[in-house]
């Protein structure tokens, strides 16, 4: 079992920055570093969109096309925490942001929300002037 709690969302003007955090409580007997973690976002009436993902070691990161070169994902396994640094925010980045984790994912599955077993409750990001 893995419990995930996101934080760091809020209201920011276009061009601004935010850093989201996702803290994991792992009760499975496995170390947090064995879990891949993804960030997804969703607006009402739409499917969850892949934002970014990171492998357990933190050595490999992957990004959705709409956020490449603006967002950076990282993790600190000693703190059971992953981060999403979001720069140059746009109004279209407004969404509910979720982190998700799983320990069985291959690289090609990291962008598929249906492959993740564990999800947080989400944190709202609103980009508006």
């Amino acid at each position: 079992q893995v419990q995930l709690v996101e934080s760091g969302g809020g209201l920011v003007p276009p061009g601004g920055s935010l850093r989201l955090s996702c803290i994991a409580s792992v009760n499975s007997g496995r170390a947090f570093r064995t879990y891949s973690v993804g960030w997804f976002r969703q607006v009402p009436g739409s499917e969850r969109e892949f934002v970014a993902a990171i492998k357990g070691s933190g050595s490999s990161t992957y990004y959705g096309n709409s956020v490449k070169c603006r967002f950076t994902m990282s993790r600190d396994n000693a703190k059971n925490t992953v981060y999403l640094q979001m720069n140059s925010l746009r109004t279209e980045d407004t969404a509910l942001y979720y982190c998700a984790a799983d320990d069985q994912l291959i690289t090609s599955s990291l962008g598929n929300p249906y492959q993740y077993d564990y999800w947080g409750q989400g944190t709202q990001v609103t980009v508006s002037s």
Side-chain angles (χ1 to χ4, degrees):
Q1 287 282 2
V2 179
Q3 294 178 317
L4 302 169
V5 178
E6 303 95 335
S7 63
L11 174 63
V12 62
S17 299
L18 280 175
R19 188 176 82 154
L20 305 184
S21 300
C22 173
I23 299 176
S25 297
V26 182
N27 300 310
S28 63
R30 299 174 65 95
F32 179 59
R33 66 178 180 275
T34 66
Y35 290 83
S36 296
V37 180
W39 283 100
F40 294 84
R41 64 188 183 186
Q42 189 171 25
V43 296
S46 298
E47 295 284 323
R48 287 188 183 183
E49 178 190 3
F50 170 67
V51 175
I54 191 166
K55 287 289 195 74
S57 66
S59 60
S60 299
T61 52
Y62 308 86
Y63 298 94
N65 289 334
S66 61
V67 306
K68 280 180 182 176
C69 301
R70 298 188 299 123
F71 291 11
T72 302
M73 188 173 182
S74 60
R75 66 191 294 161
D76 184 341
N77 286 335
K79 296 181 179 179
N80 282 17
T81 303
V82 298
Y83 305 97
L84 184 68
Q85 178 66 44
M86 305 187 296
N87 298 328
S88 302
L89 283 161
R90 305 167 180 168
T91 55
E92 54 264 38
D93 294 318
T94 295
L96 187 60
Y97 283 70
Y98 298 92
C99 66
D102 200 279
D103 61 350
Q104 302 290 336
L105 296 182
I106 58 175
T107 300
S108 60
S109 297
L110 290 172
N112 184 346
Y114 297 101
Q115 297 293 321
Y116 289 80
D117 282 341
Y118 305 105
W119 289 83
Q121 294 300 307
T123 185
Q124 178 67 36
V125 171
T126 302
V127 184
S128 175
S129 55

